[in-house]
Amino acid sequence: MTTDAHVAYFAELTDALRAAGVPEEQAARTAEELRGHLAETGTAPEEEFGPAEAFAASLGGLAPAPGEPDGAAEHWTWTADLFNDRRMLAVHGAQGWEVEGLDGIGRFVCRRAPGVALTWEYRREVIAGRRRARLLDELTPEGWELCGEWLVYGYFKRPRAATAGPEGAVDRPPAAPHRWLFLSRRGKAVLAVWCLLVGGALTAFFVGALGSAGLAIAIALTSALSAAYTSHLETAAGRARNRA
């Protein structure tokens, strides 16, 4: 329900964001997203986010709208296996890293604004078949945005400020990690088996027991079986978590 207090609060918040250098379109979009959050919670804006000026100070000057150039922003690309991706997304999202998308080999392409940065929440869902449209209809009103797809999975993001208020920003984000690969124990085991099987196929190729076509087929089958087995293990783990 919109009241005079809501109108005054968001007018003050929008003015403060503009004063902090946030583009007009982004300031309006931020205010609209926060209004939607209040509509769901039914709370008063100052109760949920704190004083407008202080809240704007924690959000202001963060980053231009997605897709706009920003030479000052940090950029980082990393990857993880399906057993570890959600945990690492939570870790890196808390450090202000926003996933812009996934590249052709399934790596998370991220950016982070200089200075005070928003923290991000992430979730992974199966979006194959009819589930895609249903999930988008369910998650979009809650502020979730599809930010990447891999195999049958979709990755969603939303700024944590929409649910955590002023705590949804990190004042002193740590330096970008030097690592780019984050594997779980199970991921390392699957990778070791894949390397062993591919190594055997290469050995057979070099000793003449396997032709080039056979080598290509062997590697493709090994990769497909590895992906299918990984997906099966993660699906089984997900079902176990849901039953717990």
Side-chain angles (χ1 to χ4, degrees):
M1 178 178 179
T2 301
T3 65
D4 291 341
H6 282 66
V7 173
Y9 183 91
F10 283 107
E12 183 181 352
L13 178 67
T14 305
D15 288 343
L17 288 173
R18 291 195 198 100
V22 176
E24 175 73 29
E25 181 182 350
Q26 186 182 359
R29 185 172 64 251
T30 299
E32 188 61 31
E33 290 175 353
L34 295 174
R35 284 192 190 95
H37 172 69
L38 289 180
E40 294 176 4
T41 61
T43 54
E46 190 153 342
E47 178 185 345
E48 185 76 7
F49 305 123
E53 188 173 350
F55 185 40
S58 71
L59 298 177
L62 297 176
E68 293 183 5
D70 181 8
E74 297 178 89
H75 296 273
W76 178 48
T77 300
W78 61 279
T79 192
D81 58 67
L82 285 174
F83 309 113
N84 209 27
D85 55 354
R86 286 180 291 190
R87 185 176 73 86
M88 298 314 303
L89 281 167
V91 169
H92 298 144
Q95 297 174 358
W97 291 104
E98 176 189 2
V99 173
E100 294 186 304
L102 271 69
D103 64 13
I105 56 175
R107 300 180 302 174
F108 296 100
V109 180
C110 302
R111 73 186 303 280
R112 184 171 65 183
V116 179
L118 282 176
T119 57
W120 292 85
E121 295 178 291
Y122 295 98
R123 63 188 295 166
R124 191 191 74 200
E125 301 286 348
V126 174
I127 59 171
R130 297 179 180 179
R131 285 178 56 87
R132 182 188 185 93
R134 179 170 60 82
L135 278 170
L136 290 175
D137 289 341
E138 292 176 357
L139 298 179
T140 300
E142 298 178 6
W144 291 103
E145 175 188 351
L146 184 64
C147 61
E149 299 180 43
W150 183 249
L151 300 177
V152 298
Y153 298 105
Y155 293 89
F156 294 82
K157 66 181 179 182
R158 71 177 176 185
R160 191 165 173 266
T163 55
E167 296 180 0
V170 53
D171 292 329
R172 297 181 180 178
H178 296 295
R179 294 174 58 189
W180 64 272
L181 180 61
F182 299 87
L183 295 179
S184 64
R185 290 181 179 179
R186 283 184 293 177
K188 291 176 181 177
V190 172
L191 179 62
V193 172
W194 181 88
C195 289
L196 182 64
L197 293 175
V198 170
L202 286 171
T203 301
F205 171 74
F206 285 121
V207 300
L210 193 66
S212 57
L215 174 64
I217 293 172
I219 293 176
L221 284 175
T222 301
S223 300
L225 290 173
S226 175
Y229 183 62
T230 300
S231 181
H232 166 72
L233 288 178
E234 177 56 18
T235 300
R239 289 173 179 167
R241 285 192 295 268
N242 291 334
R243 288 195 298 267

